[in-house]
Amino acid sequence: MAKNTPPETKVHLPFPAYHLIIMRLSIVVSLILSVSCHSLFVLVPLYLYPHADASAWSNITAAIAGNTEVQWQIIVNPNSGPYTYPPDANYIAAVSKLNSYPNVVTVGYIATGYTKVPFDSVTSQIDLYAQWASYPSAAISIAGIFFDEVDNTAAENVYTYYRQAANYVKDNMPSAVSPVVFNPGTSAPAQLFDYADTVVQYESAFSSYKDKETLNALQPGFNDQTCIIIYNTPDNADVKSLVRSMVEEGIQSVYFGADCCYHVFSSELLTLLASAVLAG
């Protein structure tokens, strides 16, 4: 994943309360749209540095703008975490652009190292993302948190770690709705679903995905909180058929990536995915 280290930036005073209220209302509207328009939404691991004028994200923003009935949840990842407050100028411009779309909700990336990352470090990173909402000159608020490297061991210490992390997000992110996403990348214990809004139960290569066979192997009873992330998707993949199976099984969210590491965003694949989600 991209690990760009931007220079330190001067901290600004908190921006007006009305601006934050507008942003919160926008997030609520976005989440309502995701339910009222299409139950399946697209979860994008945007681990690519945006560069000037958000040029590296242009295929993503074009797909978002061109498919307003599709709900997009975008994982923002400056440096395997938030890095600093405020982010650099390119991130400010790019995240502000994402937040301008009513069909987008942004979530910040945090790696938990399968509970090996000290909990104080996790909460400090959540606090940094929460600070983004106070930036005075642009709407760069992050709504929720995407926790990567989630331990799927059925153990009380694991449950405690992730329950407390999820609760900290709900209590401290300055958003009316703060989505919590866990990514074990495989079938997860049922108890984790009590803490998260979304759990990534499959993150692997297209060649390993077996359609309904894969879906039937997931933790049963939680498809409406389950995300499927598929990478290394070939050009000839029947994305529409696979998405249709996910819809039939009540899967909550999906992403098909062109490469292994979420640095390549094919406009053709994004359009195909959006069309498949719309078709249901």
Side-chain angles (χ1 to χ4, degrees):
M1 57 193 62
K3 292 189 177 182
N4 301 281
T5 306
E8 292 291 335
T9 312
K10 185 177 179 181
V11 176
H12 298 265
L13 294 174
F15 77 110
Y18 72 86
H19 199 173
L20 180 56
I21 291 170
I22 291 171
M23 289 164 57
R24 288 177 174 176
L25 288 173
S26 176
I27 291 166
V28 172
V29 170
S30 296
L31 293 172
I32 291 172
L33 285 173
S34 71
V35 174
S36 61
C37 296
H38 295 276
S39 58
L40 185 70
F41 66 82
V42 180
L43 178 66
V44 181
L46 189 50
Y47 300 169
L48 180 66
Y49 187 75
H51 295 291
D53 301 318
S55 57
W57 294 5
S58 59
N59 285 351
I60 290 287
T61 53
I64 291 166
N67 296 276
T68 56
E69 292 184 67
V70 175
Q71 175 68 18
W72 304 77
Q73 198 167 101
I74 308 295
I75 306 165
V76 176
N77 183 16
N79 190 37
S80 293
Y83 180 67
T84 188
Y85 171 80
D88 74 8
N90 289 333
Y91 258 100
I92 289 170
V95 173
S96 178
K97 185 171 185 177
L98 286 177
N99 283 339
S100 72
Y101 297 106
N103 55 329
V104 165
V105 173
T106 51
V107 293
Y109 178 99
I110 295 176
T112 64
Y114 308 99
T115 73
K116 299 299 189 292
V117 174
F119 193 73
D120 286 350
S121 173
V122 171
T123 57
S124 293
Q125 291 179 73
I126 295 169
D127 289 341
L128 271 177
Y129 279 123
Q131 270 190 284
W132 288 24
S134 67
Y135 186 72
S137 303
I140 61 169
S141 179
I142 297 294
I145 298 294
F146 175 92
F147 293 105
D148 200 11
E149 300 173 355
V150 168
D151 193 338
N152 71 334
T153 304
E156 196 58 40
N157 66 306
V158 172
Y159 298 151
T160 298
Y161 183 98
Y162 290 110
R163 181 183 68 250
Q164 292 178 346
N167 287 343
Y168 198 88
V169 171
K170 300 295 185 181
D171 292 342
N172 291 279
M173 292 300 288
S175 173
V177 181
S178 300
V180 171
V181 185
F182 289 164
N183 182 24
T186 187
S187 184
Q191 196 156 339
L192 286 183
F193 290 87
D194 290 342
Y195 317 137
D197 301 289
T198 301
V199 177
V200 180
Q201 286 209 78
Y202 182 91
E203 183 185 19
S204 194
F206 181 91
S207 58
S208 300
Y209 189 75
K210 306 302 179 186
D211 199 9
K212 295 243 175 146
E213 179 182 337
T214 298
L215 297 178
N216 291 336
L218 304 176
Q219 178 69 250
F222 298 99
N223 284 1
D224 61 346
Q225 290 175 258
T226 291
C227 178
I228 304 294
I229 296 179
I230 298 171
Y231 54 77
N232 285 344
T233 306
D235 292 340
N236 62 349
D238 190 354
V239 171
K240 184 175 182 180
S241 175
L242 295 175
V243 168
R244 182 59 192 166
S245 292
M246 295 177 197
V247 171
E248 290 172 354
E249 296 298 324
I251 296 299
Q252 182 204 53
S253 49
V254 62
Y255 181 69
F256 284 82
D259 70 330
C260 68
C261 308
Y262 316 122
H263 289 166
V264 175
F265 297 94
S266 160
S267 59
E268 293 81 6
L269 183 55
L270 288 166
T271 299
L272 181 61
L273 175 57
S275 297
V277 169
L278 281 173

